[in-house]
Amino acid sequence: IIILSISSDADVAAIRAFRGKVPSVALVARPVDGFDAGKALERADALLLDEHGTRGEKEPGREAVKTGKPIFLSAPDPEALVASARAVARATPRLVLSLAPAPTLHSWRRLVSDPWIREQGFPLLLRARPEKDPEATLLRSSVLLGALLADGFGDAVQAGTGADPAE
């Protein structure tokens, strides 16, 4: 999975070019700076909505619902993520939940202990924040994500070095 921030038509064109070079990678569009979610989703496989991508939207994720593509919801803490999931789940059950990169192990455990989240069975994308040092990224990611996976939490993992995805 590669998450691409989209803030212009040029970014949408870049998705087209990237899709041609790497067709087997799932591309998730993250609209920023008020960019239209529908345009951001044109060439992507899914839509990421977070605190930056939902400002001013009356119906977050409406475009993804129209296309049947999944919505990745991200928030900085479990309580905000549950609130967002409850709001968007009224429109579509096709949600993947993720805490913003760099959450603590305790934050993830609070999320998965929520009865409504457990009942819904939404997939969880475990994400780790890239560090400046690639070795520090690997160490932090393996400790945080490994502990969660060992506990049986998580359906997918995203850990990067912060380098250009094309590399």
Side-chain angles (χ1 to χ4, degrees), residues 6 12 15-16 19 25-31 36-49 59-73 88-89 91-97 122-123:
I6 309 296
V12 173
I15 288 178
R16 285 188 198 114
R19 169 70 69 208
V25 173
L27 299 177
V28 179
R30 176 181 174 252
D36 180 80
K39 282 186 175 183
L41 193 56
E42 283 177 7
R43 299 284 182 224
D45 300 304
L47 182 67
L48 170 66
L49 296 177
E59 299 175 50
R62 183 187 65 221
E63 295 300 325
V65 171
K66 282 185 199 175
T67 64
K69 294 180 180 179
I71 299 173
F72 284 62
L73 287 179
V88 178
T92 181
R94 299 195 57 170
L95 300 179
V96 176
L97 305 183
F122 297 123

Side-chain angles (χ1 to χ4, degrees), residues 82 86 109-122:
V82 170
R86 285 181 181 273
R109 288 187 173 141
R110 282 191 355 245
L111 175 67
V112 297
S113 70
D114 182 279
W116 184 79
I117 293 296
R118 281 198 319 264
E119 179 183 308
Q120 299 302 311
F122 297 123

Side-chain angles (χ1 to χ4, degrees), residues 1-27:
I1 295 172
I2 297 179
I3 298 172
L4 301 167
S5 296
I6 309 296
S7 61
S8 69
D9 290 330
D11 292 339
V12 173
I15 288 178
R16 285 188 198 114
F18 191 82
R19 169 70 69 208
K21 293 177 184 175
V22 190
S24 62
V25 173
L27 299 177

